[in-house]
């Protein structure tokens, strides 16, 4: 018998690790999940809720096939060898994870299994191309996305895998899943989307049957359901990346116009961004806490606690920014265009360290992935790979007017502005206090002047550059 250790691949179909465990086992395979307290230290209520829902779905999937998911609590370096001994396993297989925390955990598990004489193997699964497989002529990885994208789009992709046969899975009975409170987490304030294998398949089919052909035009419009909403499924692995990519390829084959095909390619480009950041993190695990791009001097972050609190609460007086932060509170998710806006506002208008924003996202996003969020925050903070130049600062008023012209998205998340004309919402910073009080007395005035703060941010970054 072999054990298969699920981590962030909570599915049975198109799972390369599970398939490998079955192919090399002389007997049936028993699936395992470990609630590791070291990993849970970095979790959050909304993600624990997603995790438990995904695990319930995975357990049901195994039970339909006469097996079950073994569930244990404890340090993985103790729990996995203990299970291997209990079930007399010949080997333990798992899928790679590329964060520094995951690699440290996996090294400890590997050492413990080897001490017990149990074989172990990790399998590349969560992205198409393993870190180190797409490289420049010099260096371990690309730091400019456009070069990475050119190779990624032309590189052959693996086909999705079928699930293992039922008789390849062990007839085992697992203990009940612990509750959220038993794991030490409060009820989340956000209500995230459903995170199951069925929900992932349904969303992929729905997106690739129509919205993907309008993705290039609609992806930046937060009031429109124009994005895939697959990020949380890719984070938890309730669908495999090969399944998603194959669905986009079929969509491209069905496309009847060049615009449709270009729109599909625009979405595939976003899949490549996700992979680009995974490669960067794999070779630079320190970027979780350190700037990727160095400056001659430290960036003079202001780090005003009151301004940070207003940003977190969606009370900055900049409607598009506040709508995004309130969407985060409500759903554990933010539209991608608005993620960039709120990050730019924090790091440039408020001149608050990107790490503060990353930490807030880590504690509140259902789809938080270390590589993506570190990459995105350092992009916005002009400290990362292929980052936004420090002198390009998003204007939140112009962005709101361009991407949410009717203010439908803003009003959805800021009820104080219900009934306020769109022009007044987009001109909120220019309205006099009496007019603001007349239109929306409970919504705050802008906490900073964007023009002044833009100039201050540019000067601060130039100072850090030694200019």
């Amino acid at each position: 018998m072999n054990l298969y250790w699920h981590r962030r691949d909570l599915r049975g179909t198109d799972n390369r690790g599970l398939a490998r465990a079955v192919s090399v086992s002389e007997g049936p395979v028993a699936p395992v999940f470990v609630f590791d307290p070291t990993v849970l230290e970095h979790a959050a209520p909304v993600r624990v809720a997603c995790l438990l829902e995904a695990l319930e779905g995975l357990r049901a999937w195994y039970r339909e096939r006469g097996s079950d998911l073994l569930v244990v609590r404890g340090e993985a370096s103790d729990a996995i060898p203990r299970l291997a001994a209990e079930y007399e396993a010949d080997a333990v297989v798992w899928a790679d994870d590329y964060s520094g925390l995951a690699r440290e955990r996996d090294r400890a598990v590997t050492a413990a299994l080897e001490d017990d004489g149990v074989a172990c193997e990790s399998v590349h699964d969560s992205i198409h191309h393993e870190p180190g497989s797409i490289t420049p002529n010099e260096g371990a990885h690309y730091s400019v996305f456009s070069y990475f994208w050119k190779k990624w789009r032309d590189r052959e992709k693996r086909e999705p895998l079928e699930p293992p046969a039922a008789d390849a899975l062990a007839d085992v009975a697992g203990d009940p899943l612990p509750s959220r409170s038993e794991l030490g987490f409060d009820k989340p304030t956000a209500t995230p989307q459903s995170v199951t294998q069925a929900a992932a398949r349904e969303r992929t089919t729905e997106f690739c049957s129509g919205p993907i052909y309008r993705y290039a035009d609609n992806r930046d419009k937060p009031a429109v359901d124009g994005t895939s909403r697959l990020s949380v499924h890719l984070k938890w692995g309730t669908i495999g990346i090969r399944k998603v990519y194959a669905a986009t390829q079929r969509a491209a084959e069905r496309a009847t116009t060049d615009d449709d095909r270009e729109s599909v390619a625009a979405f595939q480009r976003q899949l490549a961004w996700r992979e680009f950041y995974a490669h960067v993190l794999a070779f630079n695990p320190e970027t979780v806490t350190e700037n990727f791009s160095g400056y001659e001097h430290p960036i003079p972050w202001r780090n005003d606690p009151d301004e940070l609190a207003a940003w977190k609460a969606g009370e900055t007086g900049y409607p598009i920014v506040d709508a995004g932060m309130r969407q985060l509170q409500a759903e554990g998710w933010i539209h991608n265009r608005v993620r960039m806006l709120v990050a730019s506002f924090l790091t440039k208008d408020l001149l608050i360290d990107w790490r503060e924003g990353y930490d807030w996202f880590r504690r509140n996003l259902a789809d938080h992935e270390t590589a993506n969020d570190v990459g995105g925050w350092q992009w916005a903070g002009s400290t990362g790979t292929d980052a936004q130049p420090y002198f390009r600062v998003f204007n939140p008023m112009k962005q709101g007017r361009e991407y949410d012209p009717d203010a439908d998205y803003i009003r959805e998340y800021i009820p104080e502005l219900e009934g306020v004309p769109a022009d007044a919402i987009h001109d909120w910073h220019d309205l006099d206090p009496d007019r603001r009080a007349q239109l929306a007395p409970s919504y705050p005035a802008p906490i900073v002047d964007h023009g002044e703060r833009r100039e201050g941010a540019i000067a601060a970054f130039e100072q850090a550059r030694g200019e």
Side-chain angles (χ1 to χ4, degrees):
M1 174 183 288
N2 284 352
L3 299 183
Y4 182 68
W5 178 20
H6 284 279
R7 291 105 68 82
R8 281 184 44 202
D9 56 334
L10 305 183
R11 65 186 186 280
T13 301
D14 190 29
N15 188 321
R16 296 190 70 238
L18 179 59
R20 177 62 178 172
V22 168
S23 70
V24 299
S25 181
E26 294 184 0
V29 170
V32 178
F33 185 84
V34 179
F35 287 94
D36 188 323
T38 301
V39 176
L40 289 172
E41 285 178 10
H42 300 268
V46 68
R47 287 200 303 287
V48 171
C50 291
L51 169 63
L52 291 173
E53 182 186 24
L55 286 172
E56 287 283 7
L58 180 63
R59 160 161 279 176
W61 187 90
Y62 277 116
R63 286 177 172 175
E64 289 171 358
R65 288 156 179 78
S67 185
D68 202 350
L69 182 67
L70 301 176
V71 177
V72 292
R73 296 173 64 178
E75 295 286 345
S77 56
D78 294 327
I80 292 296
R82 186 172 67 249
L83 279 173
E86 179 180 348
Y87 286 90
E88 298 181 345
D90 300 310
V92 181
V93 182
W94 61 80
D96 287 322
D97 197 342
Y98 303 112
S99 72
L101 175 66
R103 288 185 163 187
E104 182 178 345
R105 172 200 60 196
D106 294 352
R107 282 192 292 268
V109 172
T110 298
L113 288 172
E114 289 177 346
D115 285 346
D116 291 346
V118 178
C120 54
E121 181 179 356
S122 63
V123 177
H124 173 69
D125 175 80
S126 64
I127 53 180
H128 285 292
H129 308 296
E130 191 171 1
S133 63
I134 297 180
T135 60
N137 293 332
E138 295 182 3
H141 66 88
Y142 280 104
S143 59
V144 176
F145 173 73
S146 58
Y147 299 142
F148 178 88
W149 161 245
K150 289 176 182 178
K151 287 191 177 180
W152 185 94
R153 68 185 179 186
D154 295 331
R155 189 69 60 88
E156 184 177 356
K157 308 291 188 289
R158 291 187 177 94
E159 293 296 320
L161 293 171
E162 294 298 320
D167 60 7
L169 304 172
D171 181 8
V172 294
D175 294 331
L177 291 173
S179 67
R180 184 192 66 252
S181 59
E182 287 173 337
L183 293 172
F185 289 87
D186 297 330
K187 182 179 179 180
T189 57
T191 304
Q193 67 191 84
S194 181
V195 188
T196 64
Q197 296 176 74
R201 290 193 302 271
E202 181 179 345
R203 182 59 189 173
T204 302
T205 299
E206 179 183 358
F207 177 68
C208 290
S209 65
I212 196 170
Y213 299 122
R214 300 180 294 277
Y215 178 78
D217 292 331
N218 288 341
R219 63 177 179 170
D220 287 323
K221 301 173 183 176
V224 176
D225 185 19
T227 64
S228 73
R229 296 296 294 258
L230 288 172
S231 57
V232 71
H233 293 294
L234 292 173
K235 186 269 183 300
W236 293 108
T238 46
I239 193 168
I241 188 61
R242 291 158 298 280
K243 277 277 189 182
V244 173
Y245 186 79
T248 68
Q249 286 293 86
R250 290 193 296 272
E253 292 167 1
R254 294 192 302 269
T256 58
T257 68
D258 289 342
D259 286 347
D260 287 353
R261 282 182 283 273
E262 288 173 5
S263 190
V264 173
F267 177 73
Q268 292 176 337
R269 184 180 173 92
Q270 295 305 305
L271 298 179
W273 266 109
R274 175 178 178 270
E275 195 155 319
F276 171 71
Y277 282 142
H279 285 220
V280 172
L281 181 67
F283 287 100
N284 305 274
E286 73 284 354
T287 56
V288 175
T289 56
E290 299 177 16
N291 294 331
F292 180 88
S293 298
Y295 286 80
E296 187 173 337
H297 307 290
I299 298 170
W301 304 110
R302 293 180 69 254
N303 290 336
D304 183 289
D306 292 335
E307 292 178 0
L308 176 60
W311 177 83
K312 289 179 178 179
E315 296 283 350
T316 69
Y318 283 87
I320 190 71
V321 173
D322 293 340
M325 297 309 294
R326 296 190 193 188
Q327 184 179 31
L328 174 62
Q329 295 172 30
E331 301 174 14
W333 184 83
I334 309 180
H335 185 277
N336 187 57
R337 164 58 59 173
V338 185
R339 289 193 198 206
M340 293 190 290
L341 296 182
V342 302
S344 175
F345 190 86
L346 184 77
T347 57
K348 304 296 172 59
D349 289 68
L350 304 185
L351 204 61
I352 290 175
D353 195 327
W354 65 266
R355 283 161 278 231
E356 293 283 358
Y358 169 79
D359 182 65
W360 188 246
F361 272 26
R362 180 184 64 80
R363 286 191 273 158
N364 288 277
L365 279 175
D367 64 0
H368 166 72
E369 288 194 78
T370 301
N372 271 7
D373 279 353
V374 167
W377 273 102
Q378 292 217 39
W379 181 90
S382 302
T383 65
T385 59
D386 213 4
Q388 174 87 329
Y390 70 91
F391 50 82
R392 291 182 182 169
V393 181
F394 281 125
N395 182 318
M397 296 82 70
K398 289 182 178 178
Q399 292 279 316
R401 190 180 294 277
E402 180 175 356
Y403 296 113
D404 189 29
D406 297 324
D408 292 333
Y409 171 79
I410 290 171
R411 292 194 199 92
E412 180 178 358
Y413 295 100
I414 307 180
E416 305 96 299
L417 296 177
E418 184 66 35
V420 178
D423 284 345
I425 289 174
H426 297 311
D427 290 338
W428 192 253
H429 63 293
D430 284 334
L431 300 181
D432 63 60
D434 289 342
R435 180 61 172 155
R436 283 197 288 259
Q438 178 188 21
L439 289 170
S442 60
Y443 183 66
I447 62 172
V448 297
D449 181 278
H450 169 72
E452 292 178 0
R453 287 300 183 90
R454 176 186 178 277
E455 295 304 318
I458 292 173
F461 277 84
E462 288 177 344
Q463 176 184 328
R465 286 165 59 90
E467 297 178 0

